Amino acid sequence: MTDLTFTCTGVRADPYAAGPTLVLRLRITAPPGTRVHALALRCQIRIEPAARRDYGPDEAEALADLFGDRSRWGSTLRPVQFAHVGLTVPGFTGETETDLVVPCTYDMDVASTRYFNALRDGEVPLLLLFSGTAFTGAGGFHVEPVPWDREATCRMPVAVWHEMVEQHFPGCGWLRLPRDTMAELLAFRSRHALASWETTLRALLDAAEPAPPPLPLPGAPAPRVTERAAP
C-alpha cells in the first residue's frame, strides 16, 4: 500500500457557509514521485479531552454533566465523537493540500457541542482518523485501501469555535424540546400574553426561584456598608 501521511496545518470557521462549518486544512504526502490519481477518504474526528489540556474551575463545573466530578476524571475523561465526514481529493504527485469541510451543530443535546461550549479559552485537542481508497499508479492505476492507522492531530483554538457560532447565532443558543412540552410552553405564553420565548422562560424561572443578586463587575468598588440607628 502507498505510504500516505496526513497533517492538519490549520482550522478556521467558514464565514460563507449556510450553517456553522469548520474548515480543516490538510496536507497529504505520498512517497516522492508517487502518482496518486485520486483519494476517496473517510475521516472520523474525535475530541481527546485528556490530551495535554488543563481546565479551569468554571470549565470543570460546566463539564460535570459529561465527565462527572473532577475527582473522577482519571476514569471518565474519555474521547468524545465529533464528526464523520467524507472527502474526495483530486490527483497529485508527491504532496498536496486540501480543505476538509466539517458541518457542525449548536444542539446542546450533542456531547461534542456541550464540550466546546464549556471551554473559555485555550485549544481543543482533536484526533483525525483516516480510511478510504487510493487510486495510484504511473501507467494505469491501482486501487488500494488507505491504511487504517493513518491519523493526524489538530489543536483547534477555542476562539475558532465561538467565532463560528457567533457568525450564525449571535448571542443565542438552541434548546430542543418534545412537542408536548413546546405546546405547554406556547399555551403558557399565550395565557400570559408574553412577547417572546425569552420572556416566557424568564417568567417561569422567576416563578420557580428568586433571582440571585447580580455579581459585581470586575474592578467595581465594593458596595458601601451603612448602619441604621436603632429606633
Side-chain angles (χ1 to χ4, degrees):
M1 292 186 289
T2 302
D3 185 19
L4 299 170
T5 60
F6 298 84
T7 306
C8 181
T9 62
V11 56
R12 59 183 172 85
D14 186 349
Y16 306 109
T21 302
L22 293 173
V23 180
L24 281 68
R25 189 68 175 171
L26 295 181
R27 179 183 298 129
I28 306 172
T29 305
T34 299
R35 175 61 180 167
V36 178
H37 298 287
L39 291 174
L41 293 177
R42 295 182 297 274
C43 181
Q44 176 187 355
I45 307 177
R46 294 193 323 213
I47 301 168
E48 299 283 317
R52 300 186 301 280
R53 152 113 211 173
D54 294 326
Y55 299 92
D58 291 342
E59 293 175 331
E61 182 178 355
L63 290 169
D65 63 335
L66 285 177
F67 306 120
D69 186 79
R70 189 193 284 268
S71 62
R72 301 174 52 216
W73 282 10
S75 59
T76 62
L77 212 60
R78 300 301 185 190
V80 176
Q81 182 64 41
F82 177 30
H84 276 95
V85 289
L87 173 66
T88 300
V89 181
F92 65 94
T93 299
E95 184 176 282
T96 188
E97 290 198 3
T98 188
D99 287 336
L100 180 66
V101 178
V102 185
C104 302
T105 178
Y106 196 43
D107 186 345
M108 293 302 292
D109 283 345
V110 178
S112 59
T113 303
R114 295 208 303 276
Y115 177 85
F116 292 134
N117 192 64
L119 303 186
R120 302 293 179 261
D121 53 26
E123 296 176 327
V124 178
L126 299 176
L127 180 64
L128 285 62
L129 305 171
F130 295 96
S131 61
T133 305
F135 301 88
T136 64
F141 67 85
H142 305 286
V143 179
E144 56 188 76
V146 174
W148 280 89
D149 61 351
R150 303 297 93 166
E151 62 183 44
T153 58
C154 175
R155 308 288 296 188
M156 182 183 75
V158 172
V160 171
W161 173 269
H162 292 303
E163 173 193 349
M164 178 194 69
V165 171
E166 284 298 308
Q167 287 174 354
H168 295 275
F169 311 116
C172 298
W174 290 103
L175 183 64
R176 183 174 60 180
L177 297 171
R179 287 193 184 94
D180 55 349
T181 304
M182 283 297 300
E184 291 181 45
L185 282 173
L186 181 58
F188 178 87
R189 176 178 172 178
S190 299
R191 285 196 306 271
H192 294 82
L194 298 170
S196 66
W197 286 116
E198 181 181 359
T199 55
T200 301
L201 294 176
R202 178 55 57 192
L204 289 169
L205 289 172
D206 290 345
E209 182 177 339
L215 296 175
L217 295 175
R224 186 164 57 93
V225 178
T226 60
E227 295 181 1
R228 191 174 71 176

